[in-house]
Amino acid sequence: MKKEISFTLNGSEVTVTIDEHLCLIDILRGPLGQTGTNEGCREGECGACTVIVDGQAVNSCLYPAFEVEGKNVITIEGLQEPNNKLSVFQQAFVDHGAIQCGFCTPGMIMSAKALLDTNQNPTEDEIRDALLGNLCRCTGYVQIVEAVKQAAVQLKNKK
Ligand code: FES
Ligand code: FES
């Protein structure tokens, strides 16, 4: 069955007609054209599809699309800076060699952002906990954790 839903996507109000059985990733990558969110396992195991819904990092491959009605959704595109400047997260991941194929990176960054939005001074354990649901088959996790630490410092200094 079709249903019209409206929600905030990266700061803009959007309205889209969806099939009720679809998951959030389907409408993000489909009609909404937000292809920065990657689909890996589609079983809630890899975290590649992580986006933020009302402040919480969620697996968009399992999140029913109709449930975002009236909510605030942030995807990796929402972190884009003007003039193609690298975001704090992008720069930190580059600086620490925390990207190889890059498939996991949008999901990693969204999980890290959800953490840093509520905790400006995370411990290493808190960072590792926040990234537990995000798998990377290329880099060591050490580089990724170091990148999130750098992002935390830089975001704090920006305020
Ligand atoms: S694609 Fe959603 S958790 Fe793997
Ligand atoms: S950089 Fe390739 S999966 Fe993480």
Side-chain angles (χ1 to χ4, degrees), residues 13-98:
E13 286 301 313
V14 295
T15 298
V16 61
T17 302
I18 62 164
D19 281 321
E20 277 186 321
H21 70 276
L22 292 180
C23 286
L24 180 54
I25 193 168
D26 300 317
I27 65 166
L28 290 174
R29 291 185 55 87
L32 296 169
Q34 306 293 291
T35 53
T37 302
N38 286 330
E39 181 178 316
C41 66
R42 209 179 167 92
E43 292 179 346
E45 297 290 337
C46 73
C49 64
T50 305
V51 302
I52 298 177
V53 178
D54 280 357
Q56 300 288 322
V58 304
N59 289 327
S60 62
C61 70
L62 297 181
Y63 198 97
F66 65 83
E67 283 195 13
V68 296
E69 170 71 36
K71 293 185 176 167
N72 186 25
V73 178
I74 306 173
T75 67
I76 192 72
E77 286 88 352
L79 274 59
Q80 244 168 2
E81 297 279 337
N83 305 322
N84 289 330
K85 197 169 160 258
L86 293 184
S87 72
V88 165
F89 284 103
Q90 287 172 315
Q91 189 64 59
F93 272 62
V94 169
D95 288 350
H96 289 277

Side-chain angles (χ1 to χ4, degrees), residues 98-105 108 135-139 144:
I99 302 177
Q100 282 185 34
C101 79
F103 193 79
C104 69
T105 310
M108 288 281 180
L135 305 183
C136 177
R137 62 188 175 184
C138 304
T139 65
I144 294 172

